[in-house]
Amino acid sequence: MDELDRAWREEWGRLLALLVAGFRRLDLAEDGLADAFEAAARTWPRDGVPTNPPGWLLTAARRRILDRLRSEAVAVRTLPRLAVESELTEEAQRVMADDGKGLVDERLRLVLLCAHPSLSPDAAAALTLRLVLGVSTPDIARLFLVSTPTMAARLTRARKRLASESFAVPTGAELVRRVATVADIAYLAFTAGYAPGSGPDVVRATEAGEAIRLLRVVRGLLPRGFAGTDEIDALLALMLLQHARRDARVDDGALVLLPDQDRTRWHTDEIGEAVALLRPQLLRDSTPYLLQALIAAEHAIAASAEQTDWSRIAQWYAALEALVPSPVVRLNRAVAVAEADGPFAGLRLLEGLDLPGHRLPGARAELLARSGDVAAALASYDEAIARCDNEAERAHLAQRRLEESRPLPR
């Protein structure tokens, strides 16, 4: 990674937050910073990397924003504001020369602005990835499975909705709510990368990694003693535990289920970090993210698939269903119960369950096959295949159906 790439990944959100704070316009700030990076891509290879790359980029972005204001004849109206904010600019330059700690508040403002209640969850997630992490519009479009023009229009509408909103950090219950929204956004983005609902990919590791980076940014910005810190830690642990398996989940483009994964390919450093995050929370009240993280941890710490403690996992799922009585949780609990107590126990939990997509008929097919009801299993595989939009998962289901349809050797 060269210095420009490093600046993009590590400084984009901080610099954008400063520019938004100074000029109070998302469009100006974003365009100006993008122009500054473009200028850096042209000049740094020729002239060398400056001593203070973030400071160079901030100065370049401010110059381009001021040029645009002048060209739009807006400068006359904004001169008083710019004069008033000269102190802020000086502070920004001072911070750039120091260790950057003074930027923390501005980055938090930007993250929380993207979680504004006027935006839909998808729009908020897309805008957060664009503004806070600097993810390109085409990459975000790929993450959300829409065309680039569609995502560009969605981002434009989101920016317009926020144009007149306050850049101030909310307080009290509203702050807790906004942080929870950011956490949900991060997990939504992570899930879209970890388990794509359609397309050829088993996992989109880069996109899932961006979501983890977003959560790390938020976690690093929260004040000590913040009420939602434990939930953020639990979510980060959950995402790390799942992300740690990314290299083992696919083999030559094909899906590899958890029991069949080569555990030597799991990222043990990420598992260790996640377990360390969870350890202080073991005796605290259960929350949905904490319970999901504990379930993921049970898989991560098992020496082999055969040594997985399915009874404990089933207990965690029962506790999770008591908090979140959703069909998805019931489905996952049924799978765990089937592993602990046999396929018939799992099938009983699936009775009367209704869930769109392929995962319910896929799970039912597996349990029916284990119970010996091959005809019913094949029918469920057919239903799952018909509902599945992910190519890798559909291929896996078709292979399983083929295996179950073969006559047993005499």
Side-chain angles (χ1 to χ4, degrees):
M1 181 185 297
D2 63 23
E3 284 300 323
L4 189 59
D5 289 336
R6 190 187 310 280
W8 184 282
R9 283 183 54 83
E10 298 178 0
E11 303 293 345
W12 172 274
R14 301 200 307 163
L15 296 175
L16 185 66
L18 261 184
L19 294 167
V20 174
F23 293 97
R24 304 292 174 182
R25 281 180 55 182
L26 279 173
D27 58 337
L28 278 181
E30 192 177 5
D31 289 348
L33 187 55
D35 287 348
F37 271 94
E38 191 275 335
R42 285 186 285 104
T43 59
W44 290 8
R46 182 191 64 207
D47 301 339
V49 178
T51 305
N52 183 356
W56 189 100
L57 290 163
L58 180 66
T59 300
R62 290 192 64 256
R63 286 173 178 165
R64 279 153 180 78
I65 292 171
L66 291 172
D67 287 345
R68 179 170 163 182
L69 286 170
R70 293 189 187 97
S71 68
E72 293 176 352
V74 177
V76 173
R77 294 198 299 275
T78 57
L79 274 176
R81 182 196 300 176
L82 295 179
V84 169
E85 294 180 344
S86 61
E87 184 177 339
L88 174 62
T89 302
E90 292 172 1
E91 172 65 12
Q93 292 171 341
R94 184 191 65 76
V95 169
M96 280 303 170
D98 295 334
D99 57 7
K101 292 180 179 177
L103 294 175
V104 168
D105 286 348
E106 302 307 329
R107 296 176 71 198
L108 183 58
R109 289 175 201 272
L110 184 61
V111 171
L112 297 177
L113 179 66
C114 293
H116 195 277
S118 66
L119 299 181
S120 68
D122 280 357
L127 196 64
T128 302
L129 292 173
R130 182 71 192 92
L131 298 187
V132 179
L133 297 183
V135 180
S136 71
T137 300
D139 284 347
I140 299 173
R142 193 162 69 93
L143 179 62
F144 286 91
L145 304 175
V146 300
S147 67
T148 298
T150 297
M151 180 51 69
R154 186 177 297 176
L155 289 169
T156 298
R157 288 195 297 272
R159 289 187 186 93
K160 288 181 177 179
R161 282 183 179 275
L162 297 182
S164 60
E165 299 297 339
S166 170
F167 196 50
V169 175
T171 58
E174 176 62 13
L175 176 59
V176 174
R177 194 198 65 75
R178 293 270 190 106
V179 170
T181 299
V182 174
D184 291 340
I185 287 171
Y187 195 43
L188 174 69
F190 175 80
T191 302
Y194 179 76
S198 63
D201 300 324
V202 173
V203 60
R204 296 171 185 152
T206 300
E207 287 81 353
E210 290 293 338
I212 289 177
R213 188 159 68 93
L214 169 62
L215 198 63
R216 286 190 189 281
V217 169
V218 174
R219 183 172 181 268
L221 295 174
L222 293 177
R224 184 181 297 275
F226 179 74
T229 300
D230 286 350
E231 191 70 340
I232 294 291
D233 283 357
L235 177 57
L236 180 57
L238 170 61
M239 292 161 68
L240 286 169
L241 288 164
Q242 294 176 331
H243 197 53
R245 300 197 294 259
R246 57 191 176 279
D247 293 341
R249 293 183 64 222
V250 57
D251 183 18
D252 197 23
L255 173 68
V256 181
L257 297 182
L258 180 59
D260 304 320
Q261 290 176 10
D262 178 358
R263 297 180 180 225
T264 63
R265 301 183 67 190
W266 289 2
H267 292 248
T268 54
D269 56 334
E270 295 172 6
I271 293 173
E273 180 184 355
V275 170
L277 287 167
L278 291 176
R279 193 169 289 120
Q281 300 197 48
L282 291 177
L283 299 179
R284 295 176 184 166
D285 292 340
S286 296
T287 64
Y289 283 142
L290 176 58
L291 288 169
Q292 292 176 76
L294 292 173
I295 291 167
E298 288 291 344
H299 291 294
I301 64 177
S304 66
E306 294 72 21
Q307 296 181 55
T308 303
D309 190 340
W310 283 106
S311 294
R312 184 176 295 176
I313 291 175
Q315 292 173 5
W316 292 130
Y317 270 122
L320 180 60
E321 189 174 15
L323 292 177
V324 186
S326 75
V328 173
V329 175
R330 170 61 67 90
L331 170 61
N332 291 331
R333 181 188 167 199
V335 172
V337 168
E339 294 290 346
D341 302 324
F344 293 105
L347 286 168
R348 282 195 294 272
L349 284 174
L350 295 181
E351 290 177 0
L353 196 63
D354 185 22
L355 189 66
H358 65 281
R359 292 199 163 84
L360 174 57
R364 183 177 282 127
E366 285 294 324
L367 298 187
L368 285 168
R370 293 187 196 182
S371 72
D373 192 343
V374 175
L378 295 180
S380 287
Y381 277 125
D382 288 339
E383 180 182 357
I385 292 168
R387 291 187 184 186
C388 186
D389 292 324
N390 183 280
E391 295 174 19
E393 290 191 67
R394 190 165 57 242
H396 170 77
L397 289 166
Q399 177 62 31
R400 286 290 300 126
R401 189 194 188 286
L402 178 63
E403 293 169 357
E404 292 300 326
S405 64
R406 289 171 179 159
L408 294 174
R410 296 181 178 178

